[in-house]
Amino acid sequence: MTVTVDADPGPFELDVATTALVIIDMQRDFCEPGGFGETLGNDVSLLRGVIPPLQRVLAAARALGMTVVHTREGHVPDLSDCPPAKLHRGSPSLRIGDPGPKGRILVRGEYGHDIVDELAPVEGELVVDKPGKGSFHGTSFGAELAARGITRLVVTGVTTEVCVHTTVREANDRGYECLVLSDCVGSYFPEFQRVGLAMIAAQGGIFGWVAPSAALLTALPVTALEGTPS
């Protein structure tokens, strides 16, 4: 089943069978109070607006049987996969690995490392744990996509200018065509959100395409939208 999405800089065609919905780092440590995002001085409420439109897209993807991949940024308990440049950057109130309100900050297996309840994976959906910003580095992400014959990605999640951008750039270099849903990605900085999206679609789509989630949902079969959250 092939559909065409009205996007910037032009129409984006996708075959549901060879397209994956990628949900990047919608974790409690980034999206809820007490997590790593807040220790860096950020207003985590700015990321909460991503959740309702992303719920609708996720429901439609599930109804169509589309491949869904969730990623989580975080580290093994001894932090051996966390480089010093990342561990010691800035002046957060809590650093990676420190005990926090949701467990050790950005450590795999801790409550804060997991995905928010509203977007929790269901059985059969891939969950890729990554030590860095990009989804390909140090993970099985690329191999999992290849095994499923995926050629196009619908990219969502947080943050727009960091993990989303890094993943889209990595994907672009590997030959994947990416559609970024503008209201399903978020940043702690409104200006970074605006510029980050503009950079993706600039110069005829130098890294990919950008569209609001409504454009994708409009293009999908009506039956796929039945029962999606309103």
Side-chain angles (χ1 to χ4, degrees), residues 147-160:
R148 290 162 174 77
I150 300 299
T151 60
R152 298 198 164 209
L153 309 178
V154 174
V155 182
T156 65
V158 298
T159 60
T160 305

Side-chain angles (χ1 to χ4, degrees), residues 87-223:
L87 183 61
H88 300 301
R89 77 167 187 261
S91 300
S93 59
L94 292 172
R95 294 193 180 276
I96 295 171
D98 286 348
K102 300 178 187 298
R104 294 180 66 203
I105 298 288
L106 277 190
V107 169
R108 297 178 189 179
E110 299 288 340
Y111 181 76
H113 174 259
D114 214 352
I115 295 163
V116 297
D117 292 342
E118 298 93 329
L119 300 167
V122 299
E123 185 176 356
E125 292 177 351
L126 289 169
V127 179
V128 174
D129 285 319
K130 60 189 184 67
K133 298 171 179 65
S135 298
F136 290 88
H137 171 67
T139 75
S140 62
F141 184 59
E144 296 283 7
L145 296 179
R148 290 162 174 77
I150 300 299
T151 60
R152 298 198 164 209
L153 309 178
V154 174
V155 182
T156 65
V158 298
T159 60
T160 305
E161 74 280 7
V162 184
C163 295
V164 171
H165 242 259
T166 304
T167 295
V168 168
R169 289 167 183 254
E170 289 179 331
N172 179 261
D173 282 346
R174 290 164 172 79
Y176 293 96
E177 304 282 21
C178 296
L179 173 66
V180 178
L181 299 183
S182 57
D183 56 335
C184 292
V185 295
S187 172
Y188 300 120
F189 306 96
E191 183 67 6
F192 290 178
Q193 172 80 354
R194 182 186 67 81
V195 174
L197 291 172
M199 290 172 69
I200 291 168
Q203 300 183 52
I206 194 166
F207 295 121
W209 288 256
V210 175
S213 60
L216 173 64
L217 295 175
T218 298
L220 294 176
V222 174
T223 54

